[in-house]
Amino acid sequence: MRQYGILAYPAAHSRSPLMHNAAFKAMNIDAYYGVFEKKPEELEAFMREVLERPIDGLSVSLPYKESILKYLDQVEPAVQKIGAVNTVVNKEGKLYGFNTDWIGSNRALIEVVGDLTEKIVVILGAGGAARAVAYGALLAGAHVWIKNRTKEKADAIAVEFAEFFSTQIHSVPLGEMRTGDILINTTSGWTNGMEDWKEEMIADYINLDYLANYQAVMDIVYTPLITPLLETASEIGVNIITGDKMLLYQACEQFKLWTGEDAPLEVMSKALEAV
Ligand code: ATR
């Protein structure tokens, strides 16, 4: 039986096992997807275990998307640019790193807004997730504005990515509003109370008058599914894209990397909905 799983800390509440085990079952693949909840000090020993057992593939989540890099034999170009890995394939004792997050975000966006060419995508946040989303948007021909609490991090992404793409990427200072076609929240700070969120959001990140002009708003956070940002966008009639879509589509790509087969999308989507 082939063995896969999620490497994260914490990992207990991950929805990935449900999706992948449902997919293996539906496709008659003799494989099991488990949970590898490892503390940072356990990472090195665990990576040895991956080779020795062996474990055939991993989904990689926080906080290991960057620190796993040094254990890998080879990474794809997307990983080099994004600087983060979310998928590992163990092929005959060699570990290969991939990033399917940007494919997940592009697919979730394109499904609702269509072709991204020349669209203006405004990204809130400048962490690992923002880098993946920005990479995908630029690759699909969109222009990107990136805005973050710590502006230096947004500046750094803009400078770095501007080298690789013909479309534009710029950072925007907090408090400065930009109109755009698609707004994407990748920050983890505004998911709790509606009141907390409104105060902070409206002040620095997004003004409701601007929000109304967007074609779609996506939040990559999926607990809760309808975040305060999405609730507000939906109230004023803007299309919303929930974070479970990116989660689903990045998982479909992982499945394909591990098995060589197209993922059973409906099965995985139903498994995710059942949570
Ligand atoms: P991820 O891989 O999910 O992107 P990360 O790399 O830790 O995680 O990035 C978290 C992002 O959320 C950052 O953009 C962070 O802003 P800073 O760079 O200024 O730290 C943002 N973030 C986290 N909590 C926030 C809050 N309360 N308000 C605004 N931004 C927040």
Side-chain angles (χ1 to χ4, degrees), residues 15 19 219-222 225 241-249 272-273:
R15 297 172 187 205
M19 278 190 290
D219 204 321
I220 72 157
V221 170
Y222 52 86
L225 207 53
I241 305 169
T242 49
D244 57 338
K245 298 291 182 208
M246 179 170 162
L247 180 70
L248 172 66
Y249 295 139
L272 192 58
E273 269 170 35

mmCIF file of all heavy atoms in Angstrom, residues 15 19 219-222 225 241-249 272-273:
data_model
loop_
_atom_site.group_PDB
_atom_site.id
_atom_site.type_symbol
_atom_site.label_atom_id
_atom_site.label_comp_id
_atom_site.label_asym_id
_atom_site.label_seq_id
_atom_site.Cartn_x
_atom_site.Cartn_y
_atom_site.Cartn_z
ATOM 1 N N ARG A 15 -8.075 19.074 6.350
ATOM 2 C CA ARG A 15 -9.132 18.426 5.562
ATOM 3 C C ARG A 15 -8.560 17.584 4.434
ATOM 4 O O ARG A 15 -9.299 16.918 3.713
ATOM 5 C CB ARG A 15 -10.045 19.492 4.977
ATOM 6 C CG ARG A 15 -10.730 20.241 6.084
ATOM 7 C CD ARG A 15 -11.489 21.419 5.592
ATOM 8 N NE ARG A 15 -11.957 22.155 6.752
ATOM 9 C CZ ARG A 15 -13.008 22.933 6.751
ATOM 10 N NH1 ARG A 15 -13.710 23.086 5.658
ATOM 11 N NH2 ARG A 15 -13.363 23.567 7.845
ATOM 12 N N MET A 19 -10.136 14.356 1.619
ATOM 13 C CA MET A 19 -10.159 14.509 0.153
ATOM 14 C C MET A 19 -9.351 13.408 -0.528
ATOM 15 O O MET A 19 -9.816 12.767 -1.468
ATOM 16 C CB MET A 19 -9.535 15.857 -0.243
ATOM 17 C CG MET A 19 -10.470 17.023 -0.134
ATOM 18 S SD MET A 19 -9.753 18.500 -0.902
ATOM 19 C CE MET A 19 -8.429 18.908 0.209
ATOM 20 N N ASP A 219 -11.093 34.886 -0.721
ATOM 21 C CA ASP A 219 -10.365 34.796 0.545
ATOM 22 C C ASP A 219 -9.768 33.404 0.582
ATOM 23 O O ASP A 219 -10.482 32.424 0.377
ATOM 24 C CB ASP A 219 -11.327 35.013 1.729
ATOM 25 C CG ASP A 219 -10.570 35.497 2.960
ATOM 26 O OD1 ASP A 219 -9.450 34.993 3.194
ATOM 27 O OD2 ASP A 219 -11.098 36.367 3.668
ATOM 28 N N ILE A 220 -8.472 33.293 0.841
ATOM 29 C CA ILE A 220 -7.891 31.946 0.841
ATOM 30 C C ILE A 220 -8.090 31.238 2.180
ATOM 31 O O ILE A 220 -7.831 30.063 2.309
ATOM 32 C CB ILE A 220 -6.396 31.944 0.432
ATOM 33 C CG1 ILE A 220 -5.527 32.537 1.520
ATOM 34 C CG2 ILE A 220 -6.180 32.656 -0.888
ATOM 35 C CD1 ILE A 220 -4.088 32.050 1.396
ATOM 36 N N VAL A 221 -8.572 32.001 3.177
ATOM 37 C CA VAL A 221 -8.914 31.401 4.473
ATOM 38 C C VAL A 221 -10.198 30.580 4.282
ATOM 39 O O VAL A 221 -11.111 31.030 3.596
ATOM 40 C CB VAL A 221 -9.164 32.523 5.502
ATOM 41 C CG1 VAL A 221 -9.748 31.978 6.792
ATOM 42 C CG2 VAL A 221 -7.860 33.281 5.772
ATOM 43 N N TYR A 222 -10.266 29.360 4.849
ATOM 44 C CA TYR A 222 -11.489 28.571 4.647
ATOM 45 C C TYR A 222 -12.196 28.181 5.940
ATOM 46 O O TYR A 222 -13.172 27.444 5.912
ATOM 47 C CB TYR A 222 -11.234 27.349 3.753
ATOM 48 C CG TYR A 222 -10.082 26.490 4.182
ATOM 49 C CD1 TYR A 222 -10.248 25.497 5.125
ATOM 50 C CD2 TYR A 222 -8.826 26.687 3.642
ATOM 51 C CE1 TYR A 222 -9.185 24.714 5.520
ATOM 52 C CE2 TYR A 222 -7.752 25.902 4.025
ATOM 53 C CZ TYR A 222 -7.939 24.926 4.976
ATOM 54 O OH TYR A 222 -6.888 24.148 5.372
ATOM 55 N N LEU A 225 -15.834 29.544 6.249
ATOM 56 C CA LEU A 225 -15.908 29.569 4.785
ATOM 57 C C LEU A 225 -16.286 30.969 4.290
ATOM 58 O O LEU A 225 -15.686 31.498 3.372
ATOM 59 C CB LEU A 225 -16.949 28.541 4.329
ATOM 60 C CG LEU A 225 -16.766 27.957 2.947
ATOM 61 C CD1 LEU A 225 -15.370 27.391 2.750
ATOM 62 C CD2 LEU A 225 -17.801 26.869 2.714
ATOM 63 N N ILE A 241 -15.371 34.166 -3.897
ATOM 64 C CA ILE A 241 -14.732 32.856 -4.105
ATOM 65 C C ILE A 241 -14.204 32.413 -2.747
ATOM 66 O O ILE A 241 -13.334 33.074 -2.163
ATOM 67 C CB ILE A 241 -13.571 32.965 -5.122
ATOM 68 C CG1 ILE A 241 -14.069 33.591 -6.434
ATOM 69 C CG2 ILE A 241 -12.949 31.583 -5.362
ATOM 70 C CD1 ILE A 241 -12.962 33.998 -7.402
ATOM 71 N N THR A 242 -14.735 31.305 -2.253
ATOM 72 C CA THR A 242 -14.353 30.842 -0.908
ATOM 73 C C THR A 242 -13.030 30.060 -0.956
ATOM 74 O O THR A 242 -12.655 29.502 -1.984
ATOM 75 C CB THR A 242 -15.476 29.959 -0.322
ATOM 76 O OG1 THR A 242 -15.844 28.983 -1.299
ATOM 77 C CG2 THR A 242 -16.692 30.789 0.048
ATOM 78 N N GLY A 243 -12.347 30.026 0.202
ATOM 79 C CA GLY A 243 -11.014 29.429 0.276
ATOM 80 C C GLY A 243 -10.972 27.931 0.019
ATOM 81 O O GLY A 243 -9.910 27.387 -0.307
ATOM 82 N N ASP A 244 -12.108 27.256 0.155
ATOM 83 C CA ASP A 244 -12.109 25.804 -0.080
ATOM 84 C C ASP A 244 -11.835 25.465 -1.545
ATOM 85 O O ASP A 244 -11.398 24.366 -1.857
ATOM 86 C CB ASP A 244 -13.422 25.171 0.400
ATOM 87 C CG ASP A 244 -14.645 25.773 -0.262
ATOM 88 O OD1 ASP A 244 -14.564 26.918 -0.751
ATOM 89 O OD2 ASP A 244 -15.692 25.110 -0.290
ATOM 90 N N LYS A 245 -12.101 26.421 -2.436
ATOM 91 C CA LYS A 245 -11.862 26.143 -3.871
ATOM 92 C C LYS A 245 -10.367 25.982 -4.142
ATOM 93 O O LYS A 245 -9.937 25.048 -4.807
ATOM 94 C CB LYS A 245 -12.410 27.284 -4.743
ATOM 95 C CG LYS A 245 -13.885 27.471 -4.627
ATOM 96 C CD LYS A 245 -14.617 26.302 -5.246
ATOM 97 C CE LYS A 245 -16.113 26.519 -5.177
ATOM 98 N NZ LYS A 245 -16.856 25.270 -5.134
ATOM 99 N N MET A 246 -9.582 26.912 -3.601
ATOM 100 C CA MET A 246 -8.130 26.816 -3.796
ATOM 101 C C MET A 246 -7.595 25.534 -3.152
ATOM 102 O O MET A 246 -6.745 24.841 -3.726
ATOM 103 C CB MET A 246 -7.449 28.051 -3.194
ATOM 104 C CG MET A 246 -5.948 28.039 -3.314
ATOM 105 S SD MET A 246 -5.255 29.636 -2.840
ATOM 106 C CE MET A 246 -3.551 29.180 -2.545
ATOM 107 N N LEU A 247 -8.138 25.217 -1.972
ATOM 108 C CA LEU A 247 -7.741 23.996 -1.261
ATOM 109 C C LEU A 247 -8.025 22.756 -2.115
ATOM 110 O O LEU A 247 -7.182 21.867 -2.272
ATOM 111 C CB LEU A 247 -8.503 23.918 0.064
ATOM 112 C CG LEU A 247 -8.216 22.720 0.949
ATOM 113 C CD1 LEU A 247 -6.823 22.814 1.536
ATOM 114 C CD2 LEU A 247 -9.254 22.625 2.083
ATOM 115 N N LEU A 248 -9.212 22.718 -2.696
ATOM 116 C CA LEU A 248 -9.625 21.583 -3.523
ATOM 117 C C LEU A 248 -8.740 21.454 -4.771
ATOM 118 O O LEU A 248 -8.233 20.373 -5.073
ATOM 119 C CB LEU A 248 -11.096 21.772 -3.932
ATOM 120 C CG LEU A 248 -11.669 20.798 -4.946
ATOM 121 C CD1 LEU A 248 -11.730 19.384 -4.372
ATOM 122 C CD2 LEU A 248 -13.081 21.235 -5.383
ATOM 123 N N TYR A 249 -8.556 22.568 -5.462
ATOM 124 C CA TYR A 249 -7.827 22.491 -6.735
ATOM 125 C C TYR A 249 -6.333 22.234 -6.541
ATOM 126 O O TYR A 249 -5.715 21.568 -7.355
ATOM 127 C CB TYR A 249 -8.073 23.759 -7.564
ATOM 128 C CG TYR A 249 -9.520 23.906 -7.987
ATOM 129 C CD1 TYR A 249 -10.160 25.137 -7.962
ATOM 130 C CD2 TYR A 249 -10.250 22.793 -8.413
ATOM 131 C CE1 TYR A 249 -11.490 25.267 -8.342
ATOM 132 C CE2 TYR A 249 -11.580 22.913 -8.791
ATOM 133 C CZ TYR A 249 -12.191 24.155 -8.756
ATOM 134 O OH TYR A 249 -13.506 24.275 -9.132
ATOM 135 N N LEU A 272 -14.847 17.167 0.853
ATOM 136 C CA LEU A 272 -14.538 18.446 1.503
ATOM 137 C C LEU A 272 -15.810 19.078 2.075
ATOM 138 O O LEU A 272 -15.804 19.607 3.189
ATOM 139 C CB LEU A 272 -13.894 19.375 0.457
ATOM 140 C CG LEU A 272 -13.222 20.648 0.931
ATOM 141 C CD1 LEU A 272 -12.126 20.324 1.933
ATOM 142 C CD2 LEU A 272 -12.607 21.372 -0.276
ATOM 143 N N GLU A 273 -16.883 18.993 1.303
ATOM 144 C CA GLU A 273 -18.172 19.567 1.742
ATOM 145 C C GLU A 273 -18.700 18.859 2.979
ATOM 146 O O GLU A 273 -19.392 19.458 3.798
ATOM 147 C CB GLU A 273 -19.233 19.384 0.662
ATOM 148 C CG GLU A 273 -19.323 20.526 -0.309
ATOM 149 C CD GLU A 273 -20.227 20.133 -1.483
ATOM 150 O OE1 GLU A 273 -21.214 19.403 -1.267
ATOM 151 O OE2 GLU A 273 -19.900 20.560 -2.601
#
